[in-house]
Amino acid sequence: MLGQLITKVFTGEASIFLARLRQMAIIYALMAFVAFFLAFFLIVSGYIWLTQTVGALPAALYFAGGCAVLLAILYIVLLVVGRPPKERASDRLQRDVASIAGVAALANAPSLLRSVKRRKGLVLIPVAGLAVWAAVRAYASRRNTR
């Protein structure tokens, strides 16, 4: 937007641009005002409906719990957004490496399938690993239920 303003200053259309920008700001402020009341009345009507359905005290407790959950979610979002740029760059790098590994795996899939077609015994290795993993999971879940 700043680039557009600089361009308009050089071409002599800055006053038109600023007038349009002011009109848009006023409209957005009015929309935010109406959206606030929309959300407020939706919450109030939800509370009234819940009060008629389950009673006043449980409805108040449900809404307090919902607000607590929203507060926790917003706090987590604040922590994620407030992380230093180095950590966010590291996360992006990890995602990029994972996507490159996925692309490499898909690119090598035809050659892997050809080698499996030639040597059918290669299929037994992942099947055996899956069977061992399933047996360990079954044994661990059975052991935990006793």
Side-chain angles (χ1 to χ4, degrees):
M1 187 162 299
L2 185 60
Q4 289 179 354
L5 179 61
I6 293 171
T7 305
K8 299 291 182 180
V9 166
F10 286 128
T11 60
E13 300 173 355
S15 62
I16 297 171
F17 181 75
L18 289 176
R20 186 178 304 140
L21 193 63
R22 188 177 64 238
Q23 287 174 346
M24 287 176 52
I26 291 170
I27 291 171
Y28 280 135
L30 288 173
M31 286 173 60
F33 184 73
V34 171
F36 171 76
F37 278 105
L38 170 77
F40 176 74
F41 283 117
L42 278 174
I43 291 171
V44 168
S45 64
Y47 179 75
I48 291 171
W49 175 80
L50 195 61
T51 301
Q52 292 175 349
T53 305
V54 297
L57 184 61
L61 291 174
Y62 291 152
F63 266 76
C67 288
V69 168
L70 285 175
L71 184 65
I73 290 171
L74 288 174
Y75 181 70
I76 291 169
V77 167
L78 178 68
L79 289 178
V80 169
V81 171
R83 290 186 310 164
K86 282 185 179 180
E87 289 181 21
R88 287 187 295 210
S90 173
D91 288 347
R92 268 194 309 266
L93 178 64
Q94 288 176 354
R95 284 194 305 266
D96 290 345
V97 167
S99 67
I100 290 170
V103 168
L106 285 176
N108 289 327
S111 64
L112 289 173
L113 291 174
R114 274 191 302 250
S115 65
V116 168
K117 277 184 178 178
R118 279 185 257 142
R119 295 182 49 170
K120 302 280 190 219
L122 290 176
V123 175
L124 295 177
I125 294 171
V127 170
L130 185 63
V132 168
W133 177 76
V136 168
R137 287 281 307 242
Y139 177 73
S141 67
R142 193 167 201 190
R143 192 170 156 211
N144 289 337
T145 57
R146 289 184 187 177

